[in-house]
Amino acid sequence: MGDMTKNLLSSLLNKPKDPKLNSKKFIKMLNSAYEDTNTNKEYKKKKTFSPSTIGYGHGTCPRYWWLAFNGAEFTENIRAANIASMKSGTAAHERIEKLVEATGLLKEREREIKSDSPPIRGFADLVLDVDGEEIIGEIKTIKDQYFIQRKSEGQPSPSHFLQLLVYMKVEGASEGFILYENKNDNELLSIPIEMTPKNEEYINYVFEWMDEVYSAYEENTPPKRGYTKSTWTCKSCPVSEACLEREEGVKKIANLKVGVE
């Protein structure tokens, strides 16, 4: 290798002594740009249960829903990396939906799922038509370690399972599936779910729980706190501040049990 080539490589590889762009500050600016597009605090008043929330963390707490239905200030503490992940997940959903459409089985995408009693509103990612029968599907993108776990167990996560069962019950579907994609290598995994007697018994319990929680809201009877403020569930709850500020609960409603035992 000649001296000229060595000097050229050296100039390309060596970092400038006084770069005009400070890398750490630049990354901080990018993260701030993500966070600026996200509302940290916002007053909200929910009208329905959300199937994607019911079975996860604070969604299992009756007091959370009482506050949400009455109206409260929601505080969302979402890191920049999480916002990026959500945006990537949305793009992946659209890509996978088009892939499913290419199979010729897709009947509908993003179907609105509604129930009046208890009040529920959500959107099922996929509705397939297989030999004249509707099959409800949900798309989930997950990290490699969780994908390996789902593949090994052949079972969805409890919260995903509950979400799909809600859609299936409202739509009267006997079959459904959760389509997982590995975020690392885009491998796909489809886990079928049937409305077996055991699953039907469980989802009926979930609906009865929602009925009880909504009745507490209608009767203006605040539930007692389902979790202590030192727990992760309470700390990550978007209405935790409002929960502590509002009156103490007077009605004991058990937290929702997630998953079939």
Side-chain angles (χ1 to χ4, degrees), residues 146-158 161 176-178 180 189-194:
Y146 301 122
F147 186 90
I148 292 172
Q149 182 181 0
R150 302 275 72 84
K151 190 174 183 179
S152 173
E153 295 176 355
Q155 297 291 332
S157 75
F161 171 70
F177 67 96
I178 297 178
Y180 284 108
L189 171 67
S190 179
I191 299 180
I193 302 295
E194 291 184 30

Side-chain angles (χ1 to χ4, degrees), residues 7-19:
N7 291 335
L8 177 61
L9 286 173
S10 178
S11 65
L12 290 172
L13 294 174
N14 288 337
K15 296 179 180 179
K17 293 180 180 179
D18 297 306

Side-chain angles (χ1 to χ4, degrees), residues 161 165 193-203 260:
F161 171 70
L165 279 186
I193 302 295
E194 291 184 30
M195 189 60 82
T196 62
K198 193 172 184 178
N199 287 343
E200 187 172 11
E201 180 183 359
Y202 171 65
I203 197 60
V260 176

Side-chain angles (χ1 to χ4, degrees), residues 62-77:
R63 188 170 170 86
Y64 161 76
W65 289 107
W66 182 82
L67 287 163
F69 288 134
N70 274 286
E73 188 172 72
F74 281 62
T75 302
E76 304 287 352
N77 297 312

Side-chain angles (χ1 to χ4, degrees), residues 39-234:
T39 303
N40 289 325
K41 285 194 175 185
E42 182 182 0
Y43 179 85
K44 297 179 183 179
K45 187 173 182 178
K46 295 188 178 294
K47 297 180 179 179
T48 59
F49 289 97
S50 171
S52 61
T53 304
I54 295 170
Y56 183 78
H58 58 269
T60 65
C61 176
R63 188 170 170 86
Y64 161 76
W65 289 107
W66 182 82
L67 287 163
F69 288 134
N70 274 286
E73 188 172 72
F74 281 62
T75 302
E76 304 287 352
N77 297 312
I78 303 176
R79 295 173 55 246
N82 296 127
I83 297 173
S85 180
M86 286 187 290
K87 290 180 182 291
S88 297
T90 300
H93 269 61
E94 294 174 354
R95 171 174 49 78
I96 295 170
E97 284 175 354
K98 290 179 180 178
L99 193 65
V100 174
E101 188 174 14
T103 66
L105 297 174
L106 184 64
K107 179 177 182 179
E108 190 177 345
R109 66 171 73 175
E110 300 299 326
R111 174 183 286 185
E112 185 177 19
I113 309 294
K114 294 181 70 175
S115 167
D116 294 327
S117 182
I120 298 169
R121 183 172 183 263
F123 292 86
D125 292 330
L126 305 167
V127 180
L128 306 187
D129 184 335
V130 181
D131 297 329
E133 183 176 350
E134 286 192 347
I135 298 178
I136 310 295
E138 271 296 295
I139 299 169
K140 302 294 181 184
T141 57
I142 54 177
K143 294 179 180 179
D144 184 62
Q145 64 266 36
Y146 301 122
F147 186 90
I148 292 172
Q149 182 181 0
R150 302 275 72 84
K151 190 174 183 179
S152 173
E153 295 176 355
Q155 297 291 332
S157 75
S159 62
H160 296 162
F161 171 70
L162 191 158
Q163 180 184 358
L164 181 61
L165 279 186
V166 170
Y167 293 153
M168 290 171 64
K169 179 175 173 63
V170 174
E171 293 298 292
S174 59
E175 290 185 36
F177 67 96
I178 297 178
L179 184 59
Y180 284 108
E181 182 183 67
N182 189 324
K183 288 184 178 182
N184 294 57
D185 61 8
N186 304 114
E187 181 182 352
L188 295 170
L189 171 67
S190 179
I191 299 180
I193 302 295
E194 291 184 30
M195 189 60 82
T196 62
K198 193 172 184 178
N199 287 343
E200 187 172 11
E201 180 183 359
Y202 171 65
I203 197 60
N204 286 341
Y205 149 74
V206 173
F207 272 58
E208 288 168 4
W209 182 86
M210 286 190 283
D211 279 330
E212 184 179 10
V213 171
Y214 195 72
S215 292
Y217 155 68
E218 291 183 310
E219 296 163 3
N220 195 27
T221 308
K224 293 183 178 181
R225 295 187 181 95
Y227 299 90
T228 61
K229 61 182 181 180
S230 62
T231 61
W232 170 84
T233 302
C234 192

Side-chain angles (χ1 to χ4, degrees), residues 231-244:
T231 61
W232 170 84
T233 302
C234 192
K235 288 180 179 179
S236 62
C237 178
V239 296
S240 59
E241 291 182 16
C243 180
L244 295 173

Side-chain angles (χ1 to χ4, degrees), residues 5-42:
T5 303
K6 289 181 179 179
N7 291 335
L8 177 61
L9 286 173
S10 178
S11 65
L12 290 172
L13 294 174
N14 288 337
K15 296 179 180 179
K17 293 180 180 179
D18 297 306
K20 292 187 178 296
L21 180 65
N22 183 299
S23 295
K24 290 184 178 180
K25 287 184 178 179
F26 182 49
I27 294 300
K28 190 174 181 179
M29 290 168 67
L30 291 174
N31 287 338
S32 296
Y34 264 129
E35 291 161 1
D36 286 344
T37 63
N38 180 61
T39 303
N40 289 325
K41 285 194 175 185
E42 182 182 0

